[in-house]
Amino acid sequence: MQIPKGKITNFLVITNIVVAMILAIPGFWEIAVLQGGFFPVRMTDIEIISDELWIPSFLTPITASFIHSGFMHLLFNMLMLLLMGRFVEGVLSNYMLFVYLVGIYAAAIAETIISPNSSTPIVGASGGISAIIAVYLIYFPKNRPQSWKGIPAHIYRPIQLLLGWILLNLLLGFVGPSTGYNIAIYAHIGGFIAGLLLAKPLLNYKYKDS
């Protein structure tokens, strides 16, 4: 299978790498997290908004997606984006970016619902990438989707994928702290749900006149 070129995917990956290189300058990463990281409490408690914050809270899900907690975090996210983003972009073209952005905001909403008063910063592109992964799994199934006990395949397949994704992230959330990583599992789940919901409607819309 030929891998699509994926101009948008490549742009996102390159931008993330460039930002990571800039934030490697001593002191820059801490400032970036404080200003551009996503803090759920900033969305729910307007009293903590300070004049010292440069970026409006509603934009921090986007800025936070370009901040990563370390080399392995960046590497894993960019590999996933490259491996699956190009194929999704090959199908949806520019709509792939829409999926990515919706996934980012769905991830932020999920974390805010679960932990509305959390002051722990959430960083990384995982929400957007989770949405891309969901779309990829819908578009490129390993086996032909099957119905189950009267549930049509087009309904059962997303449910099956979501349950598997939730289980995977719960396991990652359990083992993550022991390896030194705190994983925003609800952000991953929120982004994945967004991807599942967008996959078929976007495909139908893009090729409605075909």
Side-chain angles (χ1 to χ4, degrees):
M1 182 185 296
Q2 185 177 0
I3 300 177
K5 293 182 179 180
K7 293 181 180 179
I8 295 174
T9 302
N10 293 341
F11 172 79
L12 289 171
V13 170
I14 292 170
T15 302
N16 272 280
I17 292 173
V18 170
V19 170
M21 293 173 64
I22 294 172
L23 298 187
I25 299 172
F28 277 38
W29 187 84
E30 291 79 4
I31 295 174
V33 171
L34 177 63
Q35 297 292 337
F38 177 72
F39 295 78
V41 70
R42 289 183 182 172
M43 307 299 292
T44 60
D45 188 352
I46 61 174
E47 293 183 0
I48 69 166
I49 303 300
S50 170
D51 292 337
E52 296 178 359
L53 298 176
W54 311 328
I55 301 172
S57 297
F58 71 90
L59 290 179
T60 55
I62 295 176
T63 54
S65 72
F66 291 100
I67 305 170
H68 288 81
S69 60
F71 174 75
M72 292 305 298
H73 188 199
L74 174 70
L75 178 63
F76 183 78
N77 273 355
M78 294 306 101
L79 283 176
M80 290 296 100
L81 185 55
L82 274 175
L83 288 173
M84 300 185 186
R86 287 183 172 186
F87 285 102
V88 172
E89 186 177 347
V91 176
L92 294 179
S93 60
N94 293 343
Y95 293 113
M96 174 267 186
L97 183 59
F98 177 73
V99 172
Y100 187 79
L101 290 174
V102 172
I104 286 172
Y105 274 93
I109 291 170
E111 286 290 339
T112 303
I113 291 174
I114 297 299
S115 303
N117 299 315
S118 174
S119 59
T120 301
I122 299 171
V123 296
S126 301
I129 294 170
S130 294
I132 295 297
I133 292 173
V135 174
Y136 176 87
L137 292 174
I138 292 293
Y139 290 172
F140 302 98
K142 184 177 181 180
N143 300 305
R144 183 181 178 85
Q146 302 291 327
S147 60
W148 182 75
K149 293 187 176 181
I151 303 176
H154 70 278
I155 295 176
Y156 177 61
R157 173 65 174 168
I159 293 174
Q160 185 183 39
L161 290 173
L162 178 58
L163 292 176
W165 187 252
I166 291 174
L167 177 60
L168 173 62
N169 278 275
L170 289 175
L171 291 173
L172 290 174
F174 179 75
V175 302
S178 64
T179 61
Y181 289 94
N182 290 315
I183 299 172
I185 60 175
Y186 298 108
H188 292 183
I189 294 170
F192 195 83
I193 291 173
L196 290 178
L197 293 175
L198 288 173
K200 288 299 177 68
L202 281 180
L203 189 66
N204 293 336
Y205 180 79
K206 186 175 187 301
Y207 296 101
K208 64 181 184 299
D209 297 325
S210 298

